[in-house]
Amino acid sequence: QVQLVESGGGLVQPGGSLTLSCLASGLSFSNVVMYWHRQAPGKERAQVARAGTVPGGTNVAEAVKDRFTVSRDNGKNMVYLHLSRVELDDSGVYYCAAFNGVTTYWGQGTQVTVSA
């Protein structure tokens, strides 16, 4: 059974930093593409980052690429999203997802609230 468990969300002040983590189990982690999505209040879920299966194969959405970084540790079955210089619009539920070429699996999400 595939499980994705996010952690690291919480309350952060504007300009602060936060690292989200996602632990995957039940799949061949090094062979799946990992994603981070964000769903802001009242908005659709949108992809913010992708960590591919080849070294260096990461992408971050244009709107946040100067503030967010994505990385993965295949030895630990973990993918991370580091948020820096956060802004109010970064608030939302952040979801980890795994795509094995056939099926996309989702975590339950972790809430990030940016507030002064």
Side-chain angles (χ1 to χ4, degrees):
Q1 180 181 0
V2 176
Q3 283 192 315
L4 303 174
V5 180
E6 301 96 333
S7 60
L11 177 65
V12 58
Q13 293 184 340
S17 299
L18 202 64
T19 297
L20 308 181
S21 303
C22 173
L23 175 62
S25 61
L27 44 70
S28 180
F29 185 77
S30 61
N31 294 323
V32 300
V33 180
M34 300 299 297
Y35 297 88
W36 284 100
H37 286 69
R38 174 174 72 191
Q39 188 162 19
K43 296 185 178 180
E44 294 186 355
R45 194 176 299 188
Q47 182 179 321
V48 295
R50 173 187 184 276
T53 58
V54 296
T58 59
N59 302 96
V60 179
E62 186 71 21
V64 296
K65 69 176 184 177
D66 60 339
R67 300 186 294 113
F68 291 10
T69 57
V70 62
S71 61
R72 64 188 295 164
D73 185 337
N74 289 341
K76 296 181 178 180
N77 283 15
M78 297 283 290
V79 63
Y80 307 96
L81 183 69
H82 181 67
L83 293 67
S84 63
R85 293 181 281 120
V86 296
E87 302 171 354
L88 295 177
D89 287 346
D90 292 328
S91 293
V93 180
Y94 285 73
Y95 296 91
C96 170
F99 179 61
N100 65 1
V102 176
T103 304
T104 299
Y105 301 92
W106 294 90
Q108 82 289 347
T110 186
Q111 175 73 47
V112 172
T113 302
V114 181
S115 175

